[in-house]
Amino acid sequence: MTEFEYKTIVIDSKETEHSEKSLSDKLNHYGKDGWELVTCFSYPCIGSSQYSLIGIAQKATLIFKRRLCSEKGASE
């Protein structure tokens, strides 16, 4: 049976607002480590960010998965 491990990261809009390249670099880094982006969702975050509009900033949660490597599975 295939088993997976999961990783979640939260991205704030202020991190990617000025640089799409930084998000691409981050995604490529995870991809090189075997992580596959499964889904993402965004939600408003009320706060006092200089990048937010009327105190509401967007945050996104990205969910990744990768196959677990087990000794048993590797020998089969």
Side-chain angles (χ1 to χ4, degrees):
M1 182 163 113
T2 303
E3 294 182 347
F4 296 95
E5 64 179 323
Y6 295 88
K7 174 189 283 282
T8 60
I9 62 168
V10 176
I11 302 288
D12 195 317
S13 61
K14 68 182 176 186
E15 294 177 18
T16 59
E17 181 176 355
H18 301 291
S19 174
E20 288 182 21
K21 184 178 181 330
S22 68
L23 179 58
S24 294
D25 290 345
K26 199 173 276 194
L27 292 171
N28 285 329
H29 173 75
Y30 286 120
K32 287 177 184 175
D33 287 340
W35 293 101
E36 176 183 357
L37 180 63
V38 177
T39 191
C40 65
F41 55 92
S42 62
Y43 51 94
C45 178
I46 297 177
S48 58
S49 169
Q50 63 180 342
Y51 301 101
S52 65
L53 176 65
I54 314 172
I56 299 177
Q58 286 285 12
K59 292 198 176 202
T61 299
L62 285 67
I63 301 174
F64 297 85
K65 77 173 185 179
R66 72 177 171 188
R67 187 177 308 220
L68 280 175
C69 296
S70 65
E71 290 184 25
K72 180 181 176 187
S75 64
E76 293 178 349

